[in-house]
Amino acid sequence: MGYRLRRWFEDRLPQEISSGERVVALAIADLVWDDSRIGYGQKFMAKLLHKTGFENEAQLGKVLGKLAARGIELRVPISGPDGKPLTNKRGQFVYAHRGHQRTFRVPLASEFPARPAPYWDDEGERSPDRDPNAWYDSERSPARETNSGERSPSREANRAERSPARESKVTQAGDPIPLTTTTYLPPSATPSTTAPQGQAGSKHSDQDLAPAIAFLLDLPAPWSVGRVTAKALAPDLLDAITEQGWHLDEALAAKLTENPNGINNHRSVLRIRIGDLPRAPQQTTPQRGPSLPAWCGQCGGGNPAAEFNAKFRTTGSKTPCPTCHPDNHSANAA
């Protein structure tokens, strides 16, 4: 099962996560398939509770939520008939409901804030981490390396049970073969195709990410986030504002933090709003009236609005500007 994947994940988990979060993440990596990184089944949650020592799924769900807030999303949202993820009334992703069991997936190094993995060469043995996504050089496929007395997760599902992909085929031996379907990944887990620079999997440089991180750190409560979450969300935020025409300003902050009432997990909603950011509103250029004189550029305290509105064309004593206010021009013309 996930022995090699567990070792790979263990070397890359961020150092600042808690011991409970680390236990849950590594237990999931140990239970999923090595080749697909996905795990599900009738007994998956029972095994996960046994390995982690938690009493119920509610306690486990809180830890999974904390990991997601750190940019380590291990749950796969349920997709609707249109292929898009289902959300509840609060705009949060739905990971399980009646008829659909939870599905877990260990992310690639480019999909979470992974730390650089060490290379242990003290005994001259090969490290399985030379390629983070393949371990098939001259050894057997790790997907087939299961203990003789242990059943693969794929054998735990009943023949009549529906796959998380909504359908499954069954071999003659009774093993379900998941069909190749589109698996939705949350915005924070979108794979990056550019070589890392400053952070694993990031296609943005540290210099580009710095303003976005600072913007996220300055969000008001209850939307405030910490350093780890800000670094995880910054690349998606830069992509969203570039495509949709926003800027890192008060208007963007107001859009992302609007309607805070009735939300339990503001960080999860913030992640969703960044991924689904609409186009920025189009700003219309005010038209200067035909009788408005050219602005002198000195009055109104340098406010550029004075170019289009005469009420801003005043001096420090709030009197009409003698140079460009239309009242003075009318008097001069008379």
Side-chain angles (χ1 to χ4, degrees):
M1 289 163 60
Y3 171 67
R4 290 179 179 269
L5 182 59
R6 184 187 187 280
R7 288 179 56 186
W8 178 90
F9 203 29
E10 185 177 29
D11 286 340
R12 289 162 175 79
L13 282 174
Q15 187 174 3
E16 58 270 16
I17 67 175
S18 67
S19 57
E21 294 166 358
R22 186 176 298 274
V23 167
V24 171
L26 294 181
I28 291 175
D30 191 50
L31 289 172
V32 302
W33 293 299
D34 269 332
D35 52 354
S36 66
R37 297 171 174 260
I38 294 177
Y40 60 90
Q42 206 169 30
K43 299 179 181 178
F44 193 98
M45 288 301 298
K47 284 188 175 184
L48 187 57
L49 288 171
H50 177 76
K51 284 180 174 290
T52 57
F54 288 97
E55 295 182 0
N56 50 56
E57 294 187 20
Q59 294 179 351
L60 200 58
K62 291 181 180 180
V63 179
L64 290 169
K66 292 179 180 179
L67 284 167
R70 295 181 182 273
I72 309 172
E73 181 58 83
L74 299 172
R75 302 163 296 180
V76 179
I78 296 175
S79 297
D82 56 356
K84 296 182 179 180
L86 298 179
T87 57
N88 58 21
K89 294 181 179 179
R90 300 190 181 110
Q92 301 168 330
F93 289 130
V94 176
Y95 299 100
H97 62 73
R98 174 175 288 184
H100 290 270
Q101 298 178 357
R102 292 182 185 271
T103 301
F104 296 90
R105 177 182 178 274
V106 174
L108 301 173
S110 60
E111 299 170 355
F112 71 100
R115 62 174 172 171
Y119 179 75
W120 310 114
D121 198 21
D122 50 348
E123 296 183 3
E125 61 182 2
R126 284 186 37 191
S127 168
D129 302 323
R130 291 192 295 178
D131 185 346
N133 301 321
W135 306 294
Y136 303 102
D137 293 340
S138 59
E139 301 177 294
R140 293 174 53 201
S141 168
R144 301 181 180 272
E145 294 182 3
T146 60
N147 296 332
S148 57
E150 187 173 8
R151 293 173 61 86
S152 168
S154 62
R155 295 178 179 268
E156 293 173 358
N158 296 332
R159 294 190 181 187
E161 184 178 5
R162 293 174 64 85
S163 162
R166 298 196 302 272
E167 290 187 42
S168 65
K169 291 184 178 179
V170 180
T171 65
Q172 294 181 355
D175 296 334
I177 305 176
L179 295 178
T180 303
T181 57
T182 302
T183 301
Y184 175 81
L185 297 178
S188 63
T190 304
S192 177
T193 57
T194 308
Q197 184 174 355
Q199 182 179 347
S202 174
K203 63 181 180 180
H204 302 283
S205 66
D206 291 340
Q207 185 177 1
D208 294 334
L209 290 173
I213 294 174
F215 173 85
L216 291 168
L217 290 174
D218 290 338
L219 290 178
W223 303 92
S224 55
V225 297
R227 180 176 57 88
V228 174
T229 303
K231 287 185 177 180
L233 295 178
D236 293 326
L237 179 61
L238 284 181
D239 291 341
I241 65 175
T242 300
E243 294 177 7
Q244 303 296 71
W246 291 85
H247 302 281
L248 297 173
D249 53 15
E250 294 181 359
L252 176 61
K255 182 63 179 177
L256 293 177
T257 60
E258 64 182 359
N259 302 326
N261 298 327
I263 298 175
N264 291 333
N265 192 333
H266 290 79
R267 293 189 179 186
S268 297
V269 175
L270 177 62
R271 188 188 307 275
I272 296 172
R273 289 183 176 181
I274 290 175
D276 197 31
L277 187 67
R279 289 190 179 276
Q282 298 294 327
Q283 296 182 354
T284 57
T285 303
Q287 297 294 327
R288 187 170 63 233
S291 61
L292 193 64
W295 180 42
C296 67
Q298 304 298 323
C299 61
N303 188 347
E307 182 178 359
F308 311 103
N309 195 328
K311 74 176 183 178
F312 295 103
R313 299 188 180 188
T314 58
T315 61
S317 57
K318 302 299 181 180
T319 58
C321 176
T323 304
C324 62
H325 196 279
D327 291 347
N328 293 329
H329 270 254
S330 298
N332 294 335

